Amino acid sequence: MSTSGRAHSHVPACRRAATSRTTPAIGPRRALVCVALSVLTLACGPAFAQQDQPGETPPAAKSGGGLGSFFGGLGQSITNVVSGTRDKPQIQDLTPGVYVKSNEAIGEERDIDENRITRGVLALPAFTNYANGVLDKLKQASGFQQVPGKVLIVANDQMDAGATADGNVFISSGYLRELKNEDQLAALLAHELAHVLLRHHDSNAFTRIQKQVSTLVQTGIGLRNSLDKVTGGTASNALSPSQKDVILKMELLIKVSDVALHPAWGRRQEAEADRLGMDLMVKAGYSYQEGFIPWLEAVAKWDAIQEAQKTARAARQEALMQSMMAEGKFDESLKQSLGSALTEMTSRLSASHEGGEKRIADIDAYFIKAYNEKVPQVAPTIRPFEQVRNHPGVLPVLNAYSRVFEARTLIGDQKYAEAQTLLKPLLSPSSPIASHALPNQLMFEATRSLGGRRDAEPFLARSLSSDNSVWEVYDSAATHYRDNGDMAAIPRVGQGAFQRFSGAPSAYPKLVALYRRHGLTKEMNAALSECVLRQADKRDQCVDAAK
């Protein structure tokens, strides 16, 4: 991905002249603007402290007024806009030594278990070994020793990534298709590593994010419980075919929705991670021009696409829920529960993190101020990256999952026969993903929805036994056995799920919810008691799941 042909927000010609291998022509008018801004920056900027620098106290401003005060204030404003908020690399704030783990860390392997419960982790050793080599270079550049964490790939078609407090970096399979060279991969990993090194997971922002996630989990449980009241209680007898159709659509939306990999960090955290990320990759020998900037441009492009998708999904979910509430003869408590779920889900879908365009503008300003528009001219590493991404153990899997995500969309639209046609070759013995959980789960849902319950069972069994199975598969299995009248099988499903994800703290509320949903009060109370005793931080979620 090239930076040519793109209009940057902040003095692009100035930056391009300093970083490109060949200096493009700058028109007289634009050159005059660059010179004027530079003069104002040099004249006024040093007299004022930069904002948002931890540990720095702005010096007292000299007294006075009139033109001096006016031009001083103007100079500071222009400096903030053009030059960013720092006059030295962010990496200089780090104190080299042995890395001290985050207060929020739960253990590297336990952290992986916690993420496996909701995300299908894909085994792509050829790529993850390569990516971990890049991550190690960045860790060495940081000056820290014994920094934990590794790279893992998850089945998700969004351009999404996130680092946890334990240092693990989860990257979506969809992201791999957007990266063009090792330098862009390094930019992504450097940004995520920066969140870890800057201990953002110990900040108030992360505490806020955790509360949002907890609220979302509770909202999801409440919505599922509300649906169960409709489908399993006395109200189910009054449901019309159209109402049952609406409920089915809602349940499918819950099952096939992706779970975001990254928290919605605040502007300050994102800006700090971008600055330190740039520092790390430059110090590790990667290209700023062909790595960091094209990566941020891809993020900006994806942000625009994602906003449109969020709006469409929010409208769709709201329409479904409003339709059920309007048509249904439900009691007021149920309507209130559904209404609350609607509000929470709409809010979640409309929330967004710092936009890519703004981040490009900020990093432009940082490049000018902290680097004086000069970084080493480095050729991007393309061939090794292409070789590993085109590896027979990588590219065929990525291509197959692109079709899996298409089938998932079809199922969400209740186009089950079309989804079956798309999934069938992906589950043949020659397919690299024939044993994977997601395609088998989707085939199970499509086949069952077309009335072939018995024909669907092999796909469910294969999904349960898959190495990258997720909790949702066990929920589907419990519902399947309930519909077949085999209630005795549900406790076995619950225990199988809990043993599979025993290292994950969130397994407790999920197990409580599974038992409650199927009327297994004895098993639910036992799971609730164990949750309160062994997993205190999940107590509230477990209690809510039992309601």
Side-chain angles (χ1 to χ4, degrees):
M1 189 179 299
S2 172
T3 58
S4 62
R6 187 190 183 288
H8 286 282
S9 304
H10 289 307
V11 290
C14 300
R15 177 168 67 80
R16 191 77 84 249
T19 60
S20 300
R21 290 185 179 85
T22 60
T23 304
I26 305 176
R29 192 170 176 181
R30 182 173 291 182
L32 181 60
V33 172
C34 290
V35 171
L37 291 175
S38 298
V39 169
L40 281 170
T41 300
L42 291 172
C44 307
F48 298 89
Q50 301 302 308
Q51 298 176 354
D52 292 337
Q53 293 190 45
E56 293 189 10
T57 303
K62 293 181 179 180
S63 60
L67 288 178
S69 178
F70 170 79
F71 281 112
L74 177 62
Q76 183 179 16
S77 299
I78 294 176
T79 297
N80 287 340
V81 171
V82 178
S83 303
T85 57
R86 290 188 62 92
D87 58 3
K88 65 178 182 179
Q90 180 95 36
I91 198 170
Q92 293 183 17
D93 290 347
L94 302 183
T95 303
V98 176
Y99 175 78
V100 178
K101 70 177 183 179
S102 166
N103 295 326
E104 300 295 331
I106 61 175
E108 189 173 338
E109 293 305 316
R110 194 179 181 204
D111 175 61
I112 294 174
D113 283 341
E114 179 68 9
N115 280 273
R116 284 185 192 277
I117 200 168
T118 52
R119 306 179 179 104
V121 177
L122 302 179
L124 299 175
F127 189 88
T128 51
N129 289 341
Y130 177 82
N132 281 313
V134 176
L135 184 61
D136 286 342
K137 289 182 185 178
L138 297 167
K139 289 178 181 179
Q140 292 172 9
S142 73
F144 285 108
Q145 295 87 47
Q146 301 177 28
V147 181
K150 57 187 176 184
V151 178
L152 298 102
I153 309 299
V154 300
N156 184 331
D157 63 336
Q158 309 294 307
M159 187 175 163
D160 205 359
T164 65
D166 286 278
N168 291 315
V169 181
F170 292 85
I171 304 176
S172 67
S173 55
Y175 221 134
L176 303 191
R177 307 183 69 85
E178 298 297 324
L179 301 173
K180 300 296 186 289
N181 54 48
E182 183 177 313
D183 301 68
Q184 292 177 27
L185 173 63
L188 167 61
L189 295 178
H191 174 88
E192 298 302 337
L193 176 61
H195 281 302
V196 176
L197 298 178
L198 292 168
R199 306 182 69 82
H200 284 163
H201 297 87
D202 291 343
S203 68
N204 291 334
F206 187 68
T207 301
R208 170 180 54 80
I209 291 163
Q210 283 185 310
K211 289 180 179 179
Q212 291 174 345
V213 171
S214 177
T215 300
L216 176 58
V217 170
Q218 293 172 10
T219 299
I221 290 172
L223 179 55
R224 294 295 287 267
N225 289 350
S226 297
L227 290 173
D228 289 336
K229 289 179 182 178
V230 176
T231 57
T234 56
S236 64
N237 298 326
L239 292 179
S240 67
S242 63
Q243 290 169 330
K244 291 179 180 178
D245 183 63
V246 168
I247 292 171
L248 178 59
K249 287 181 179 178
M250 290 180 65
E251 290 177 332
L252 284 171
L253 278 175
I254 295 172
K255 288 181 178 180
V256 303
S257 294
D258 275 327
V259 178
L261 298 175
H262 64 87
W265 292 114
R267 178 179 177 182
R268 183 188 181 97
Q269 285 80 24
E270 286 286 44
E272 289 177 345
D274 281 343
R275 292 194 295 259
L276 180 55
M278 174 184 168
D279 298 342
L280 290 172
M281 67 173 300
V282 168
K283 188 175 179 181
Y286 288 107
S287 172
Y288 166 75
Q289 300 90 347
E290 301 297 331
F292 203 84
I293 290 300
W295 168 67
L296 275 181
E297 288 175 338
V299 170
K301 178 181 177 182
W302 175 250
D303 281 345
I305 295 173
Q306 196 172 39
E307 283 304 311
Q309 291 177 343
K310 281 181 179 180
T311 301
R313 286 200 303 270
R316 185 179 176 194
Q317 290 192 354
E318 181 173 0
L320 287 172
M321 296 180 76
Q322 293 287 13
S323 175
M324 187 168 69
M325 291 172 65
E327 294 184 27
K329 298 177 181 178
F330 310 133
D331 59 55
E332 289 303 315
S333 63
L334 177 55
K335 284 190 175 183
Q336 184 177 359
S337 177
L338 288 171
S340 298
L342 169 62
T343 301
E344 288 290 345
M345 296 178 75
T346 302
S347 174
R348 171 174 66 96
L349 289 170
S350 63
S352 61
H353 59 285
E354 187 72 15
E357 289 289 343
K358 180 63 174 67
R359 290 168 63 185
I360 291 175
D362 287 347
I363 209 67
D364 272 348
Y366 179 62
F367 171 75
I368 293 170
K369 187 67 175 177
Y371 281 85
N372 196 27
E373 305 186 58
K374 295 177 182 178
V375 292
Q377 301 291 310
V378 180
T381 303
I382 300 175
R383 186 171 177 79
F385 177 83
E386 290 180 340
Q387 286 177 334
V388 72
R389 192 172 59 180
N390 294 335
H391 187 278
V394 177
L395 187 59
V397 175
L398 296 180
N399 289 338
Y401 266 94
S402 292
R403 295 192 291 276
V404 168
F405 299 136
E406 290 178 31
R408 184 174 62 180
T409 300
L410 290 171
I411 291 174
D413 293 336
Q414 292 184 288
K415 298 178 180 179
Y416 306 120
E418 292 179 45
Q420 279 185 321
T421 300
L422 198 57
L423 289 167
K424 188 174 180 180
L426 301 178
L427 297 175
S428 67
S430 60
S431 170
I433 65 170
S435 63
H436 287 208
L438 182 57
N440 279 285
Q441 180 193 3
L442 293 176
M443 182 62 97
F444 165 75
E445 296 291 353
T447 305
R448 186 182 67 139
S449 297
L450 289 172
R453 287 187 179 181
R454 189 170 297 277
D455 293 337
E457 288 181 356
F459 302 110
L460 177 62
R462 198 184 299 177
S463 186
L464 287 170
S465 63
S466 173
D467 290 338
N468 54 20
S469 188
V470 296
W471 190 279
E472 186 61 53
V473 175
Y474 291 87
D475 271 336
S476 294
T479 301
H480 175 71
Y481 289 124
R482 182 195 66 188
D483 292 346
N484 286 348
D486 188 3
M487 296 298 293
I490 298 178
R492 295 198 298 271
V493 171
Q495 285 304 309
F498 190 77
Q499 290 171 10
R500 180 69 170 276
F501 303 107
S502 59
S506 61
Y508 284 94
K510 288 182 178 293
L511 182 63
V512 172
L514 185 149
Y515 287 148
R516 193 222 62 81
R517 190 152 48 244
H518 299 291
L520 302 177
T521 304
K522 178 182 177 182
E523 290 81 357
M524 180 194 74
N525 288 333
L528 177 59
S529 297
E530 188 172 351
C531 173
V532 172
L533 180 65
R534 298 179 180 274
Q535 203 66 50
D537 60 330
K538 296 293 180 182
R539 178 185 179 279
D540 290 343
Q541 288 187 24
C542 287
V543 170
D544 286 338
K547 293 180 180 178

